[in-house]
Amino acid sequence: DRNSMHRLKADESYQIGEKGHPVRAYLSVDEIVDTARRSGADAVYPGYGFLSENPRLSAACAAAGITFVGPSTDVLKLTGDKSRAIATARAAGLPVLTSSSPSASVDDLVAAAADLTFPLFVKAVAGGGGRGMRRVTDPAGLPEAIEAASREAESAFGDPTVYLEQAVLNPRHIEVQILADTHGNVI
């Protein structure tokens, strides 16, 4: 980000991590919180991607007395891991797509695919934004898709775990944005 506009317009900026390894820096909870503490920051806004859905950053900020601008650690533990969110929805009686258990093992996931109908998606447990996700129409392509999605998930989110999920054909995407504060105000 050395030459990025947001960095150039900032009043102050701090290098986190090693030069040439920006993704590692964005995934380093300890360095981010340490830099926030050293700079006198009273809040951390994680943006999107990387650690924005990681409960470790939220918890580390809380432990350091720094406000995390985002969901609470408890909410992130519930929703930041897609397989845990699916299990919670299932336990609440909500309809969910058929999916496998999460794993980083290609063999385990290929075996789990025997109970699923193709096409399906290989999806990263962590993160979002389509990173670590592959659509698979032919079972022969599944091992390669698992490996690729897992590599991308580890690179982007620090977690190679993926799961398989039934693909919805011709979907209509509806997304809801919710903004809430710690005083009970919700938009």
Side-chain angles (χ1 to χ4, degrees):
D1 289 344
R2 188 174 20 256
N3 297 314
S4 297
M5 185 64 70
H6 63 272
R7 209 248 354 129
L8 296 172
K9 290 193 173 270
D11 294 331
E12 298 176 30
S13 64
Y14 302 87
Q15 181 175 319
I16 297 174
E18 308 167 39
K19 288 183 180 178
H21 297 284
V23 173
R24 281 190 227 154
Y26 277 110
L27 295 173
S28 178
V29 170
D30 294 337
E31 286 192 73
I32 291 168
V33 172
D34 183 56
T35 301
R37 188 182 301 126
R38 284 186 294 113
S39 70
D42 59 4
V44 168
Y45 172 67
Y48 61 93
F50 296 108
L51 293 174
S52 64
E53 297 178 17
N54 189 313
R56 289 186 311 110
L57 178 59
S58 174
C61 286
I66 298 169
T67 299
F68 178 80
V69 181
S72 69
T73 301
D74 289 340
V75 168
L76 289 174
K77 283 181 181 176
L78 179 66
T79 62
D81 176 316
K82 291 185 201 80
S83 63
R84 189 176 300 130
I86 291 167
T88 301
R90 229 181 234 127
L94 297 171
V96 296
L97 296 170
T98 304
S99 61
S100 73
S101 295
S103 180
S105 165
V106 173
D107 292 339
D108 290 350
L109 290 164
V110 167
D115 296 331
L116 299 172
T117 303
F118 284 78
L120 55 78
F121 280 101
V122 178
K123 297 175 93 174
V125 167
R131 304 288 303 269
M133 186 166 79
R134 299 290 187 280
R135 183 174 181 201
V136 182
T137 57
D138 180 357
L142 185 59
E144 182 181 331
I146 293 168
E147 290 171 355
S150 186
R151 276 193 311 273
E152 185 176 21
E154 181 162 32
S155 175
F157 312 118
D159 183 352
T161 310
V162 295
Y163 67 101
L164 308 178
E165 184 175 74
Q166 169 190 353
V168 176
L169 304 177
N170 302 314
R172 293 183 63 190
H173 181 84
I174 299 171
E175 187 167 328
V176 178
Q177 300 294 324
I178 300 170
L179 181 63
D181 65 19
T182 57
H183 305 288
N185 300 304
V186 180
I187 298 172

